[in-house]
Each structure stands twice: as C-alpha cells, then as structure tokens.
Amino acid sequence: MTQNLRADARENRDRILGTARELLSERGLGISMRDVARHAGVGPATLYRRFPTKQVLVDAAFADELRACRQIVEDGCADPDPWRGLTTVIEGLSVLNARNRGFVDAYMSAGGRTSLFARHRSAVLRQLEALAARAKREGSLRTDFSVDDLVLVLLAGRGLSSTSPEVRTAAARRFAALALDAFRADSGNGALPRCPSLIGEVARLS
C-alpha cells in the first residue's frame, strides 16, 4: 500500500509539473494555481501539498530551462574569443526566449531577491558584464554597449514566442544576428540614445 501511495504521489507530481510547463510556455506567468490543478486533473489540496506557492511551482517547472540558460552563459564566457562568446550567448538566449514565453517571463520578473530565478539572474548578469568588458577591450564590441542592451534584446524578443513553432527558432536566430550587428564595434556606428537602467526594472516587468 505504501509503495502504491508513493507511486501515485510521484505520478501526481509529474503530471502537475508537465501541465505547469505546458501552460507557462503557452500563456506565461498569468496562469493561476487553479488553472494548473484543473488541467492536471488534481484537487487544489494535492497541488498545494506538492507546491505550496506559485513561485515554488514555477521554480520546479523551469529547472531544466534554468540549467540550459546557465550552460549557455557559461559556454559563452569560457570562450577565449569574447566576441564569439557574446555571439553564442545572445543567440542561445534569444532562441530559449522564443521557445518558451513563460520561462523568460519568470526569469525577468522573478519576485523577491531570495527566489531561485532572482539569485541566478544576479550571477548571470555579473558574468555577462565581465564578458562584455573583455569584448570591449579586445575591440570587437562597441564601447557604449551596456548589459542593459542585452536585457532590451530579450524583452523585445519575447514577442517571437507568439510565432508558429516551425519558424520560431529561425526567427530568433535572425533577430539575434541583427542585434549583434548593431553591437559590433564599427567606425560607422552612430551615437546611441542614453540607455535606461533595465536591469533594475526587470522585476516589475511581466
């Protein structure tokens, strides 16, 4: 009997997580816990027993995407060629962004400094600032680039998640290429308008 109960509990947890991933990917963070319970075919008590808050559920649902995001950034930062590393990061994050609306919403609007997403985001931003500094010193990245510009690209690219799955990845890669062309150091670059501080604003964007 105990073994059956454990199996049922695992099945419920897996079904809840699968449902949450699907709904978050399609609709973003606007879904409610009631939506998840209803689509997963479980009662609210079962849902809250496994995931006491929505943030806990979101953290668990996007654990794989969080690992993928971390790997993209670590691979880019490890590249001895900083421009190539930055290219890897911007393209990889743009594709991840386009494929899963809910993940980027969660990443950009993670509530509270102690949340898993907020802690991860803080570490990644520090890594990206170091990578950008290297690319500037090497002369490949325009000197007025700010990590806020990368945040701007991710925010602007969220609309790609509304395109059909067949074109989403290709569109994300083209969008990333256009952004990178604008970031490349070139004597023909014009001066940019002042960059707003988007890093400090992301927790308010959803």
Side-chain angles (χ1 to χ4, degrees):
M1 177 67 71
T2 300
Q3 187 172 0
N4 288 338
L5 286 174
R6 288 174 180 170
D8 288 344
R10 284 196 301 271
E11 182 180 341
N12 282 339
R13 186 178 189 279
D14 291 345
R15 187 163 64 251
I16 290 168
L17 280 176
T19 300
R21 290 188 188 104
E22 182 178 347
L23 292 177
L24 287 163
S25 177
E26 293 174 355
R27 305 183 192 177
L29 292 183
I31 65 166
S32 67
M33 295 288 273
R34 186 177 297 274
D35 290 332
V36 175
R38 184 172 67 253
H39 282 82
V42 300
T46 298
L47 172 62
Y48 281 103
R49 186 162 56 249
R50 302 298 170 197
F51 305 97
T53 68
K54 184 176 177 180
Q55 187 63 56
V56 170
L57 176 61
V58 170
D59 286 351
F62 287 137
D64 288 344
E65 285 80 2
L66 206 58
R67 281 191 291 270
C69 177
R70 183 182 298 114
Q71 193 63 56
I72 288 168
V73 174
E74 289 179 353
D75 287 348
C77 290
D79 196 316
D81 182 331
W83 176 256
R84 187 171 59 202
L86 190 63
T87 298
T88 298
V89 170
I90 291 178
E91 179 177 300
L93 293 183
S94 294
V95 170
L96 189 63
N97 186 1
R99 286 179 178 171
N100 198 316
R101 174 187 169 188
F103 172 69
V104 178
D105 283 356
Y107 194 87
M108 302 303 284
S109 62
R113 294 183 180 180
T114 61
S115 77
L116 178 63
F117 281 86
R119 294 195 304 273
H120 179 273
R121 186 178 63 215
S122 178
V124 162
L125 288 173
R126 288 194 299 271
Q127 290 176 289
L128 292 176
E129 286 170 349
L131 178 60
R134 285 174 52 209
K136 288 180 183 179
R137 288 195 300 270
E138 188 258 349
S140 54
L141 179 64
R142 60 187 301 158
T143 58
D144 55 356
F145 171 87
S146 165
V147 175
D148 287 297
D149 292 317
L150 176 54
V151 176
L152 181 61
V153 168
L154 293 177
L155 291 174
R158 289 197 300 176
L160 293 173
S161 63
S162 64
T163 61
S164 64
E166 293 77 18
V167 304
R168 204 170 289 168
T169 297
R173 286 179 174 149
R174 184 172 177 86
F175 182 70
L178 291 168
L180 284 160
D181 196 49
F183 294 157
R184 190 189 304 271
D186 188 289
S187 60
N189 283 344
L192 290 172
R194 184 186 66 82
C195 184
S197 178
L198 294 174
I199 293 174
E201 290 290 314
V202 289
R204 296 169 53 190
L205 301 172
S206 60

